[in-house]
Amino acid sequence: MRLTYIASALVALCLVTSAGDDPLPSWNDGPSKQAITAFVARVTREGSPERVAPEQRIAVFDNDGTLWSEQPLYFQFMFVADRVKALAPQHPEWKEKEPFKSLLAGDFKGALAGGEQAVVELMAATHAGMTTEEFSALVLDWTANAKHPRFQRPYTECVFQPMLELLAYLRANGFKTFIVSGGGVEFMRPWAEKVYGIPPEQVVGSRGKLRFEVRDGKPVLVKLPEVDLVDDKEGKAIGIQQQIGRRPLMAFGNSDGDLQMLQWTTAGQGPRFALLVHHTDAEREWAYDRPSSIGQLDKGLEEAKVKGWTLVDMQKEWKRIYPFDKP
Amino acid sequence: MRLTYIASALVALCLVTSAGDDPLPSWNDGPSKQAITAFVARVTREGSPERVAPEQRIAVFDNDGTLWSEQPLYFQFMFVADRVKALAPQHPEWKEKEPFKSLLAGDFKGALAGGEQAVVELMAATHAGMTTEEFSALVLDWTANAKHPRFQRPYTECVFQPMLELLAYLRANGFKTFIVSGGGVEFMRPWAEKVYGIPPEQVVGSRGKLRFEVRDGKPVLVKLPEVDLVDDKEGKAIGIQQQIGRRPLMAFGNSDGDLQMLQWTTAGQGPRFALLVHHTDAEREWAYDRPSSIGQLDKGLEEAKVKGWTLVDMQKEWKRIYPFDKP
């Protein structure tokens, strides 16, 4: 009996030690991994002159292109496209009306030719009018059943293994991890806790207006076709202030939409950390950063150089991309 | 040496045991205390059929009249009045212009005669145009120096001792405690962590719009004179959904402004808890609940009866009101 206890204690110890040896096993020992671990040590180690109190350890993460892929299109847009297909029989007029017509024909580029107006129309047609609970159920149904066109796996499996390790590593070091995404907050919350370990109250995102109503004697919140916050670019700093209310210590993004979030974070007093994921792996993921595409990274690359932000070369620095890749 | 260790261990143990015996020492053993502790046991005890996972243990608290007093006027209004006085030399026109004229003459009722429009004008004149950091510094300066007219103590000492104990008790039982107040979120965050143990990211409140700007090469967030959310009545359910993103398990309020928050909370599946603080103590605090006054509690009293919500009789159930009262 006693020996069994000692044996299990030893096993437990080994597990702890092995995890302790390398909390970021999917990161090669490159400059990004070194920068991350050096910064975390600097702000958390007992006796460090720059130690930051645990309650100030706020880390914010963009989602699309930072925590999961965003190609061939933002995943939320794939969800919207699936909703349009499901609703099309009730809307015969969509066959002749853009952006629905193109979308139903599988022409995503055509559907998005109308720019922001097209996106707003699609969101209104597919998200508005229902209650927050109905919407949440639709999202969960989609994440359980829809498959990514390239990997033929649920979208929630197309998340970056190195970033999952980074989230866990930061939390183990006393950080509170938040998502701050241009994506819809109601689209991310239903699955973010299970997939990223990030609870709903730590998800900041774009949001529509809501209306409180009593339906069948029960209070509900109805999604309205009006934008309340576009949590992108300047909106990310605003979303952080509105919902978190203190300046992050670390910020992680991948595109020019994250620029103001990184600027706002690093303008704080004392040590701050900013990182951009650079999509350089055409084989295992995608390689892109061109202006006027999804995930444009143009000003960000310039500013990262000038300010010494960490730039992750996915192709060189990540051993694995997805959890389903072989370790 | 060894004896000293044992002695301190014993002292520590006694402290723990004594706190463990009664986590709510300022509550008399009345129906409210019993309802609170019975509910917490029901949703947290190992083996309880209605046990709720720790991440679902969300408790929301109104602030004005629930966590601190709200008489003779909402404390934020006292702050605004002090700001108007401080800014008056730069605004000679205020001497002839309502609501400033009345306010400068010490006539609060007259200043508020203009209703919501008057409040918006006062907020715009005293809150807008400055950065969030400048505003935060003003609030902290005020909480350090201003004194409540009746008690001649800082406003942040005019908080309810029984509620401080309740906050700590719920946190010790795995709850995350949130403020959900009609007061300004930027007004509460600077001191809520120190006074209530509630961090900025767990404060939901009314908010104005913000603008991201670069001033002297540094990004700042500027407060605009436009309302973004009135976190009162229906707005409380909306604020909860926008910022917390899941339905609370317990909700605490004191007025009809909290009604929809309590309705939204108790409409969730499984066990839910709602409590209203009834201001019945004219001697130690104030006694009020009349329609069309601060802290109107009219519909709430009715609904509490019908739905079995807990109603705290301050006068009978609270041994102490403020931390500065003798225990």
Side-chain angles (χ1 to χ4, degrees):
Chain A
M1 204 54 181
R2 215 165 164 188
L3 268 174
T4 318
Y5 276 134
I6 294 170
S8 5
L10 280 174
V11 169
L13 192 69
C14 291
L15 287 173
V16 168
T17 313
S18 122
D21 280 342
D22 189 357
L24 301 172
S26 299
W27 293 72
N28 285 316
D29 279 323
S32 297
K33 183 174 182 170
Q34 282 163 24
I36 292 166
T37 52
F39 181 85
V40 169
R42 191 175 151 204
V43 296
T44 64
R45 207 168 33 206
E46 293 285 343
S48 164
E50 294 179 306
R51 187 167 189 272
V52 172
E55 66 271 18
Q56 297 283 352
R57 296 181 199 159
I58 302 286
V60 289
F61 290 80
D62 168 58
N63 185 39
D64 298 307
T66 300
L67 294 180
W68 71 359
S69 289
E70 59 185 352
Q71 301 287 359
L73 278 174
Y74 294 129
F75 294 178
Q76 187 169 4
F77 195 71
M78 308 300 270
F79 166 72
V80 169
D82 287 343
R83 288 301 306 151
V84 167
K85 279 177 214 157
L87 293 169
Q90 300 158 47
H91 294 275
E93 74 279 11
W94 284 357
K95 277 183 200 155
E96 302 304 325
K97 194 184 165 194
E98 291 296 357
F100 306 97
K101 186 183 166 186
S102 294
L103 204 64
L104 288 170
D107 174 11
F108 292 113
K109 271 198 179 168
L112 288 176
E116 202 179 320
Q117 180 55 28
V119 174
V120 169
E121 262 185 71
L122 288 167
M123 301 301 244
T126 54
H127 291 38
M130 67 186 86
T131 69
T132 50
E133 295 201 323
E134 288 163 353
F135 184 74
S136 175
L138 279 178
V139 171
L140 283 178
D141 181 64
W142 183 80
T143 56
N145 294 300
K147 296 264 178 13
H148 188 283
R150 174 171 164 191
F151 302 108
Q152 289 303 314
R153 289 174 178 272
Y155 287 91
T156 47
E157 290 183 18
C158 302
V159 296
F160 300 136
Q161 176 64 26
M163 298 305 278
L164 296 181
E165 293 167 8
L166 179 55
L167 287 167
Y169 167 67
L170 291 176
R171 288 193 290 259
N173 280 282
F175 280 81
K176 253 191 186 176
T177 52
F178 287 79
I179 292 173
V180 178
S181 168
V185 67
E186 304 263 357
F187 174 73
M188 297 180 285
R189 279 175 171 156
W191 49 267
E193 190 157 29
K194 197 174 158 196
V195 173
Y196 299 135
I198 297 180
E201 62 270 24
Q202 286 163 223
V203 180
V204 183
S206 295
R207 57 179 189 250
K209 288 195 187 295
L210 298 171
R211 184 175 58 224
F212 181 92
E213 257 182 40
V214 178
R215 285 188 181 175
D216 303 325
K218 262 192 77 172
V220 294
L221 293 168
V222 179
K223 289 170 73 63
L224 302 181
E226 293 160 55
V227 173
D228 196 48
L229 174 71
V230 178
D231 191 55
D232 195 34
K233 300 190 173 74
E234 292 84 1
K236 290 212 174 193
I238 293 168
I240 288 169
Q241 180 65 18
Q242 286 188 335
Q243 194 166 326
I244 306 177
R246 57 178 142 206
R247 204 186 291 255
L249 204 57
M250 305 182 83
F252 302 85
N254 79 299
S255 81
D256 285 355
D258 301 314
L259 199 57
Q260 286 83 354
M261 174 169 81
L262 271 57
Q263 291 169 342
W264 175 246
T265 297
T266 54
Q269 290 188 317
R272 306 279 162 170
F273 185 89
L275 178 150
L276 287 165
V277 173
H278 195 188
H279 291 263
T280 51
D281 198 321
E283 204 180 311
R284 294 182 300 169
E285 207 242 1
W286 283 268
Y288 61 95
D289 60 16
R290 281 163 309 173
S292 55
S293 72
I294 280 182
Q296 166 182 337
L297 184 62
D298 183 26
K299 293 180 198 161
L301 285 177
E302 280 309 304
E303 197 154 336
K305 265 187 228 166
V306 174
K307 297 194 171 167
W309 294 345
T310 296
L311 194 67
V312 177
D313 184 331
M314 275 178 82
Q315 204 252 319
K316 288 192 188 143
E317 300 200 81
W318 284 1
K319 274 185 210 159
R320 289 163 76 187
I321 304 286
Y322 301 113
F324 55 78
D325 289 337
K326 277 179 200 150
Chain B
M1 204 52 181
R2 215 165 167 190
L3 268 175
T4 319
Y5 275 135
I6 292 170
S8 5
L10 280 174
V11 169
L13 192 70
C14 292
L15 287 172
V16 168
T17 313
S18 122
D21 280 342
D22 189 357
L24 302 172
S26 297
W27 293 72
N28 285 315
D29 279 323
S32 297
K33 183 173 182 170
Q34 282 163 24
I36 292 166
T37 52
F39 182 85
V40 169
R42 192 175 150 205
V43 295
T44 64
R45 207 169 34 206
E46 294 284 344
S48 164
E50 293 179 306
R51 187 168 190 271
V52 173
E55 66 270 18
Q56 297 283 353
R57 296 181 198 158
I58 303 285
V60 290
F61 290 81
D62 169 58
N63 186 40
D64 298 306
T66 300
L67 293 180
W68 71 358
S69 288
E70 58 185 352
Q71 300 286 359
L73 277 174
Y74 294 130
F75 293 177
Q76 186 168 4
F77 196 72
M78 309 301 270
F79 166 74
V80 169
D82 287 343
R83 289 302 304 150
V84 166
K85 280 177 213 155
L87 293 169
Q90 299 157 46
H91 294 274
E93 75 280 11
W94 285 355
K95 276 182 201 153
E96 302 304 326
K97 196 184 162 194
E98 291 296 359
F100 306 97
K101 186 182 167 186
S102 294
L103 204 63
L104 288 169
D107 174 11
F108 292 112
K109 271 199 179 167
L112 288 177
E116 202 179 323
Q117 181 54 30
V119 175
V120 169
E121 263 186 70
L122 289 167
M123 300 301 244
T126 54
H127 291 38
M130 66 185 85
T131 69
T132 50
E133 295 201 324
E134 289 162 354
F135 184 75
S136 176
L138 280 178
V139 171
L140 283 178
D141 180 65
W142 183 80
T143 54
N145 295 301
K147 296 262 176 20
H148 188 282
R150 174 171 164 191
F151 301 108
Q152 290 303 313
R153 290 173 177 271
Y155 288 91
T156 47
E157 291 183 17
C158 302
V159 295
F160 301 136
Q161 176 64 26
M163 297 306 275
L164 296 181
E165 293 166 9
L166 179 56
L167 287 167
Y169 167 67
L170 291 177
R171 288 193 291 260
N173 280 283
F175 281 81
K176 253 190 186 176
T177 52
F178 287 79
I179 292 173
V180 178
S181 168
V185 68
E186 304 264 357
F187 174 73
M188 296 181 284
R189 279 177 170 153
W191 50 267
E193 189 157 30
K194 196 174 157 197
V195 174
Y196 300 134
I198 297 180
E201 62 270 23
Q202 286 164 222
V203 180
V204 183
S206 295
R207 57 178 190 251
K209 288 195 186 297
L210 298 171
R211 184 175 57 224
F212 181 91
E213 256 182 40
V214 178
R215 285 187 182 175
D216 304 324
K218 263 191 77 171
V220 294
L221 292 169
V222 179
K223 289 171 72 66
L224 302 181
E226 293 160 55
V227 173
D228 197 47
L229 174 71
V230 178
D231 191 54
D232 195 34
K233 300 189 173 76
E234 290 83 0
K236 291 212 174 192
I238 292 168
I240 287 170
Q241 180 65 17
Q242 286 187 335
Q243 194 166 325
I244 307 176
R246 59 177 140 205
R247 204 187 292 254
L249 204 56
M250 305 182 83
F252 302 84
N254 79 298
S255 81
D256 285 354
D258 301 313
L259 198 56
Q260 287 82 355
M261 174 168 83
L262 271 57
Q263 291 169 341
W264 175 246
T265 297
T266 53
Q269 290 188 316
R272 308 278 161 169
F273 185 89
L275 178 151
L276 286 165
V277 173
H278 195 188
H279 291 263
T280 50
D281 198 320
E283 203 179 311
R284 295 181 300 169
E285 206 242 1
W286 284 268
Y288 61 95
D289 60 15
R290 282 163 309 174
S292 55
S293 72
I294 280 182
Q296 167 183 337
L297 184 61
D298 184 27
K299 292 179 200 163
L301 285 177
E302 280 309 304
E303 198 154 335
K305 263 187 232 166
V306 174
K307 296 194 172 167
W309 294 346
T310 297
L311 195 67
V312 177
D313 185 330
M314 277 178 80
Q315 203 251 321
K316 288 192 187 143
E317 299 200 79
W318 284 2
K319 275 184 209 159
R320 290 162 76 187
I321 303 286
Y322 301 113
F324 55 78
D325 288 338
K326 279 178 198 150

